[in-house]
Amino acid sequence: MSISSEHKPLGKQVTGSLHMLSPIVELNVGGEMYTTTLSTLKKHPGSKLAEMFTGQPKLRTDSEGRFFIDRPGTYFKYILEYLRSNQVPTQCIQDVYKEALFYDIEPLIKQLEDSPQIFGELVARRQFLARVPNYSENIELMIRIARAEAVASRQSSVIVCVVRTEEDAARCLDALNSLDMDKKSVVKFGPWKAVPSISDLLDCIQMDVEAKGYKISFQPHVAEKGFRFKSHDFFYKFLFTWW
């Protein structure tokens, strides 16, 4: 039994030249449908998006013949609006920035990097955290310790030692030797040479752990009576809540 040529195969690979395409293009971006022009998609010749629609086809099509791009469709409308009118989005900045990077639309990338949200993250916060030794590794260590202590518990805690200067680091070491706890379970951040304070670093830790999907809070860690240092000068308890 032969198959009718009218039936369109699912996810077929486009053949032939894109020069033969209609100037009107239908897109399926992650399940969201868009209609635009070929010239709009190719507005920035050096971009990855333009390359998708230049020369030999580089995309598959869905069952309706629309070009399929396997990216979040929600944010593509902002990309398309920029290509149409040069309008820089003011919503979902972080997510649109990720898509602009994927499609390699350089003018949009640069304009988004000038926005307060991206500028603050890339130039201020990340530059600060780059000066905190082993910051990312310590975040992962905190999470591993918290998960290890979460068995049959609603919450688990991690003790963090935060020191801003070399002098504080020495004092923290003395304090650790006085604390009645397993030193291997204390995660140490710092010292660093930058303007942000200990409070700023604590906020960054909370922000980055929460960005991984965890529910977390922190407070100064109060040591037992008779402890010869002010423990809250260095030590903080981060509380992970699991349910």
Side-chain angles (χ1 to χ4, degrees), residues 27-219:
L27 302 172
N28 176 346
V29 185
E32 299 281 343
M33 311 307 166
Y34 294 94
T35 301
T36 186
T37 65
L38 193 59
S39 60
T40 295
L41 296 171
K42 296 168 65 175
K43 184 174 181 179
H44 298 284
S47 70
K48 182 177 179 180
L49 183 62
E51 290 179 359
M52 290 178 181
F53 296 91
T54 301
Q56 290 299 315
K58 301 173 180 66
L59 295 171
R60 301 184 71 86
T61 59
D62 65 12
S63 59
E64 298 298 322
R66 293 173 292 231
F67 287 102
F68 179 72
I69 302 176
D70 194 14
R71 295 293 295 180
T74 304
Y75 310 114
F76 188 74
K77 64 182 178 182
Y78 300 108
I79 299 291
L80 201 54
E81 186 59 35
Y82 176 78
L83 295 175
R84 287 168 171 163
S85 61
N86 290 323
Q87 180 176 329
V88 180
T90 57
Q91 303 177 44
C92 308
I93 300 297
Q94 299 280 358
D95 293 303
V96 177
Y97 179 66
K98 292 177 185 176
E99 296 310 297
L101 289 173
F102 173 78
Y103 294 114
D104 195 20
I105 304 173
E106 192 64 30
L108 178 56
I109 291 171
K110 290 181 178 178
Q111 290 183 70
L112 288 173
E113 286 179 348
D114 283 337
S115 69
Q117 298 93 324
I118 303 298
F119 179 87
E121 175 67 18
L122 294 180
V123 177
R125 199 177 85 90
R126 288 193 190 178
Q127 288 297 316
F128 159 52
L129 296 178
R131 301 184 184 188
V132 180
N134 303 314
Y135 177 80
S136 297
E137 293 84 348
N138 284 339
I139 293 290
E140 295 301 326
L141 178 57
M142 285 179 63
I143 292 171
R144 288 200 300 272
I145 293 172
R147 291 175 69 93
E149 296 181 359
V151 178
S153 300
R154 183 172 186 178
Q155 295 178 319
S156 55
S157 62
V158 178
I159 304 300
V160 167
C161 174
V162 183
V163 292
R164 186 174 178 181
T165 67
E166 294 289 351
E167 181 183 14
D168 284 345
R171 294 174 63 204
C172 177
L173 182 59
D174 290 340
L176 272 175
N177 291 331
S178 301
L179 277 174
D180 184 20
M181 65 170 62
D182 182 2
K183 298 178 183 60
K184 292 181 180 178
S185 66
V186 178
V187 182
K188 176 177 169 290
F189 287 85
W192 63 87
K193 293 181 180 180
V195 173
S197 65
I198 286 177
S199 176
D200 294 325
L201 180 65
L202 292 169
D203 287 340
C204 287
I205 294 171
Q206 181 174 16
M207 183 187 307
D208 289 328
V209 173
E210 287 180 340
K212 295 179 180 292
Y214 295 92
K215 185 177 180 181
I216 190 175
S217 61
F218 67 88
Q219 61 189 34

